[in-house]
């Protein structure tokens, strides 16, 4: 659509006025010296914020606003950021900018909007920002020494809060470490086969000469050849051309067998009596696992839906129906079970944990300590904190004892984190947001563009929820 707009050209008779003629402006439609109406300019800017250069230009071209990638970026970078009002409660968090390079994100914990972002995460930058923006009363941060130092230097009177999100994340990390150290206990979560079960291949490592086993043995020997050399895991990983996490796994293991995924022998399960029925129903055309599960539940099946789904999975690929082999959960999965609120845990996980704890008292102890901390957080009640820290120290679990040591050194802020409602407003969601944007930009345009987009996008999201 084309709008033909006629405006008046006006003369100025003022003696002291340097301007001879000027054109009339129409509010909301024209701006002096601009080639775009305010509405169109807004569209260009929004496209830039949401999609950056290339994507923004593509969208605008579809909308018949031909603009180059660089022009969109230029318009984006020209946008003024909302002016900063110094927040009363500030959230500070770091995020990975590139592989080993970190950045710092500041969030107004009141509005939950990001207000500043820069490359690096050292104390001095944060202290300088706080000095330039006096008036921050509370700062929520992670447990790191660096930000603690920066706040102490830049805003010595501010109350420091160790963020509950980070406290929980720190504890969860230790739980993962413990679960990984108890990898060998995890098959206990899988129910015992029924007594009648014939077990033809009970020896899981009998010959131990599969390609996977040879591979594990070779890596184990290669990694452990470096022990005592004082080289870092990263250096060893580079040397061997392996992923650092793989090297870490082998370095931690006491033997190569620990690094092999154990596949439990075929066990008879409660589903066995229903396999024939499932096969028959499948042939009749019923392919929905939930429906099939309900049907056999009505016939007395007590097992989990997941098993039915796994059992019919081969049928979907035209293979014969198979009894599901239940794999033991991964350490990460067990850690998630342990850190999930019990009422939100499914029956499958609850039963698995119960079996696991009967066998492994250390994971049981870990679970109890996690629940105690969860109760403190939920009730904003830190009266049990000292005792809880003592229990961690006495738990005989090095991961938890180490955590207790770190938390004690920061105990005032930890106490604040448990008892105050403040949190940094930095959460997993926001960091995911950042990661996504980094990927869109592929690291080329750098931090100024990232800063522009992260801040403006958050405001945009408020405006167009
Ligand atoms: Zn164990």
């Amino acid at each position: 659509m084309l709008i033909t707009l006629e405006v008046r050209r006006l003369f100025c008779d003022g003696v002291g006025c340097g301007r001879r003629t000027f054109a009339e402006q129409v509010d909301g439609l024209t701006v002096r010296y601009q080639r775009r109406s305010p509405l169109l300019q807004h569209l260009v800017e929004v496209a830039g914020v949401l999609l950056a250069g290339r994507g923004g230009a593509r969208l605008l071209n579809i909308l018949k606003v031909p603009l180059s990638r660089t022009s969109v970026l230029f318009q984006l970078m020209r946008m003024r950021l909302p002016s900063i009002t110094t927040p009363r409660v500030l959230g500070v968090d770091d995020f990975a900018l590139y592989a080993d390079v970190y950045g710092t994100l500041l969030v107004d914990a009141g509005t939950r909007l990001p207000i500043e972002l820069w490359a690096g995460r050292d104390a001095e930058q944060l202290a300088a920002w706080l000095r330039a923006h006096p008036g921050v009363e509370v700062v929520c941060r992670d447990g790191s020494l660096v930000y603690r130092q920066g706040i102490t230097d830049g805003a010595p009177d501010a109350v420091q809060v160790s963020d509950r999100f980070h406290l929980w994340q720190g504890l969860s990390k230790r739980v993962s470490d413990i679960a990984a150290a108890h990898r060998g206990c995890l098959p206990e979560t899988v129910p015992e086969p029924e007594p009648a079960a014939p077990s033809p291949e009970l020896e899981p490592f009998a010959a131990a000469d599969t390609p996977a086993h040879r591979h594990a043995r070779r890596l184990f020997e290669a990694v452990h050849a470096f022990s005592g050399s004082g080289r870092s895991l990263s250096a060893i990983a580079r040397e061997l051309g392996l992923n650092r996490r793989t090297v870490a796994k082998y370095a931690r293991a006491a033997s190569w067998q620990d690094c092999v995924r154990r596949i439990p022998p075929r066990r008879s399960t409660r589903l066995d009596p229903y396999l024939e029925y499932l096969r028959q129903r499948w042939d009749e055309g019923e392919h929905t696992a939930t429906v099939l599960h309900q049907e056999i539940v009505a016939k007395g099946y007590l097992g989990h839906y997941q098993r039915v789904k796994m059992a019919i999975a081969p049928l979907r690929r035209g293979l014969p129906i198979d009894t599901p082999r239940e794999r033991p959960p991964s350490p990460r999965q067990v850690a998630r079970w342990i850190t999930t609120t019990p009422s939100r845990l499914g029956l499958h996980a609850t039963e698995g944990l119960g079996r696991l704890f009967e066998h492994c008292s250390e994971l049981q102890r870990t679970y109890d300590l996690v629940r105690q901390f969860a109760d403190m957080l939920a009730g904003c009640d830190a009266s049990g904190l000292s005792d809880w820290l003592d229990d961690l120290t006495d738990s005989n679990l090095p991961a938890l004892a180490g955590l207790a040591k770190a938390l004690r050194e920061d105990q005032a802020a930890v106490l604040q984190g448990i008892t105050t409602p403040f949190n940094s407003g930095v959460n997993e969601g926001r960091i995911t947001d950042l990661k996504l944007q980094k990927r869109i930009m592929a690291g080329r345009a750098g931090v100024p563009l990232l800063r522009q987009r992260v801040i403006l996008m958050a405001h945009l999201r408020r405006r167009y929820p």
Side-chain angles (χ1 to χ4, degrees), residues 264-277:
R266 160 79 168 82
R267 290 166 156 168
S268 79
T269 74
R270 277 182 284 190
L271 189 63
D272 285 359
Y274 305 96
L275 287 179
E276 188 50 47
Y277 176 79

Side-chain angles (χ1 to χ4, degrees), residues 138 140 159-165 167 372-386 410-423:
V138 180
C140 302
V159 175
Q160 299 199 24
V161 178
S162 188
D163 194 68
R164 35 175 67 217
F165 169 73
L167 286 174
Q372 285 172 25
F373 192 67
D375 290 344
M376 282 192 251
L377 284 182
C380 294
D381 175 11
S383 56
L385 179 61
S386 289
D410 198 19
Q411 198 160 339
V414 172
L415 200 119
Q416 289 291 340
I418 297 170
T419 54
T420 68
F422 299 128
N423 64 73

Side-chain angles (χ1 to χ4, degrees), residues 186-204:
L186 305 188
E188 298 294 329
T189 54
V190 180
E192 281 296 305
E194 274 107 69
S199 34
E201 353 140 32
L202 255 185
E203 192 52 69

Side-chain angles (χ1 to χ4, degrees), residues 182 185 359-363:
H182 286 257
C185 302
H359 166 83
C360 178
S361 61
E362 294 182 309
L363 284 170

Side-chain angles (χ1 to χ4, degrees), residues 89-409:
V89 185
L90 179 74
V92 187
D93 201 8
D94 64 6
F95 63 94
L97 203 49
Y98 314 109
D100 291 327
V101 184
Y102 287 84
T104 297
L105 176 70
L106 303 187
V107 176
D108 181 334
T111 62
R112 297 186 162 262
L113 288 169
I115 48 183
E116 189 51 280
L117 172 160
W118 61 72
R121 55 169 174 187
D122 49 281
E124 192 35 50
Q125 288 169 308
L126 179 58
W129 191 92
L130 287 166
R131 273 186 227 108
H133 299 84
V136 175
E137 293 169 29
V138 180
V139 188
C140 302
R141 54 156 170 84
D142 59 14
S144 79
L145 279 174
V146 179
Y147 287 148
R148 187 163 112 199
Q149 190 59 48
I151 299 161
T152 309
D153 292 348
D157 295 331
V159 175
Q160 299 199 24
V161 178
S162 188
D163 194 68
R164 35 175 67 217
F165 169 73
H166 288 109
L167 286 174
W168 189 253
Q169 208 180 32
L171 179 60
S172 301
K173 169 77 181 64
R174 306 294 172 131
V175 174
S176 289
D177 292 347
I178 296 168
H182 286 257
R183 185 182 289 272
C185 302
L186 305 188
E188 298 294 329
T189 54
V190 180
E192 281 296 305
E194 274 107 69
S199 34
E201 353 140 32
L202 255 185
E203 192 52 69
F205 277 118
D209 204 32
T210 66
H213 290 173
R214 282 196 296 274
H215 177 78
R217 197 179 330 172
R218 212 167 48 235
L219 288 191
F220 180 81
E221 282 162 6
V223 168
H224 281 259
F226 284 98
S227 65
S229 70
R231 301 179 63 174
S232 71
L233 291 179
S234 311
I236 299 171
R238 268 196 304 278
E239 180 89 4
L240 296 175
L242 293 171
N243 187 303
R244 205 191 70 90
R245 291 173 63 165
T246 310
V247 172
K249 181 175 94 178
Y250 279 91
R252 227 178 12 239
S255 69
W256 65 265
Q257 283 91 341
D258 292 345
C259 303
V260 182
R261 185 189 285 273
R262 277 161 228 244
I263 299 169
R266 160 79 168 82
R267 290 166 156 168
S268 79
T269 74
R270 277 182 284 190
L271 189 63
D272 285 359
Y274 305 96
L275 287 179
E276 188 50 47
Y277 176 79
L278 288 178
R279 189 173 13 229
Q280 182 196 329
R281 290 290 289 132
W282 180 274
D283 292 341
E284 288 167 14
E286 182 51 70
H287 295 176
T288 313
T290 40
V291 174
L292 290 170
H293 177 240
Q294 279 161 12
E295 287 183 10
I296 60 171
V297 164
K299 288 171 164 288
Y301 173 62
L302 296 171
H304 199 257
Y305 151 76
Q306 200 67 24
R307 285 200 190 162
V308 178
K309 193 176 155 193
M310 281 162 68
I312 62 168
L315 292 176
R316 294 191 195 284
R317 284 173 284 139
L319 300 170
I321 194 167
D322 190 20
T323 320
R325 249 179 236 276
E326 202 174 328
R327 280 179 188 282
S330 68
R332 192 179 306 176
Q333 199 172 354
V334 167
R336 207 173 311 128
W337 288 354
I338 291 177
T339 52
T340 299
T341 313
S343 60
R344 291 220 204 127
L345 209 56
L347 186 62
H348 177 71
T350 309
E351 288 179 354
L353 278 184
R355 281 187 288 266
L356 177 62
F357 294 157
E358 262 171 49
H359 166 83
C360 178
S361 61
E362 294 182 309
L363 284 170
Q364 167 83 70
R365 210 175 313 143
T366 306
Y367 175 83
D368 293 341
L369 290 164
V370 166
R371 294 273 50 96
Q372 285 172 25
F373 192 67
D375 290 344
M376 282 192 251
L377 284 182
C380 294
D381 175 11
S383 56
L385 179 61
S386 289
D387 287 345
W388 184 74
L389 289 172
D390 289 343
D391 288 346
L392 292 191
T393 308
D394 300 337
S395 65
N396 274 327
L397 296 160
L400 293 184
L403 178 66
K405 185 164 175 292
L407 293 180
R408 270 204 199 87
E409 283 164 10

